[in-house]
C-alpha cells in the first residue's frame, strides 16, 4: 500500500501501464481488478476522513510500498469516476 501524494510519483507507473495496457475491471467504486503477469490483482483506492488517499494492490511491488502500474491503471479509471460523482 502507498499514500498517493500527487501524480508525479505515478509517472513511471503510468508509463508502464501505457506500455503493458492491463485490463481494468470495475468491481465497485474504489475497488478494481487489474490484469497482471500472474493473473488479476485487486486494487483498492481509498480516501480517509483527513483526505489522505491510499492505494493498495495485491501485487508484490505494492506490498513493498511501490506505486505499481496496476495501481496507475486502476487510478486512471477511479479518478474519472470520482470526477463524475462530484459533477453528478
Ligand atoms: Zn500492483
Amino acid at each position: 500500500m502507498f499514500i498517493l501524494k500527487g501524480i508525479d510519483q505515478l509517472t513511471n507507473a503510468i508509463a508502464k501501464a501505457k506500455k503493458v495496457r492491463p485490463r481494468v475491471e470495475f468491481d465497485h467504486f474504489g475497488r478494481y481488478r487489474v490484469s497482471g503477469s500472474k493473473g488479476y490483482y485487486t486494487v483498492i483506492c481509498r480516501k480517509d476522513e483527513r483526505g489522505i488517499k491510499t492505494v493498495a494492490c495485491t501485487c508484490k511491488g505494492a506490498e513493498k510500498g511501490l506505486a505499481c502500474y496496476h495501481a496507475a491503471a486502476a487510478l486512471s479509471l477511479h479518478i474519472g469516476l470520482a470526477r463524475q460523482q462530484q459533477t453528478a
Side-chain angles (χ1 to χ4, degrees), residues 41 57 59 62 68 70-71:
Y41 297 108
C57 178
C59 77
C68 59
H70 318 112

Side-chain angles (χ1 to χ4, degrees), residues 20-68:
V20 178
R21 295 190 166 277
R23 251 181 89 89
V24 182
E25 288 182 5
F26 177 78
D27 191 349
H28 58 78
F29 185 70
R31 189 184 166 101
Y32 311 91
R33 278 187 300 271
V34 183
S35 65
S37 53
K38 288 177 181 140
Y40 276 84
Y41 297 108
T42 301
V43 178
I44 299 178
C45 310
R46 281 210 188 93
K47 189 158 106 176
D48 75 7
E49 61 279 3
R50 289 168 298 167
I52 295 168
K53 293 170 191 161
T54 58
V55 185
C57 178
T58 49
C59 77
K60 284 269 181 286
E63 268 176 27
K64 294 178 199 152
L66 298 172
C68 59

Side-chain angles (χ1 to χ4, degrees), residues 1-6 9 50-56 65 67:
M1 189 192 86
F2 62 93
I3 294 169
L4 184 67
K5 293 179 189 123
Q9 77 194 102
R50 289 168 298 167
I52 295 168
K53 293 170 191 161
T54 58
V55 185

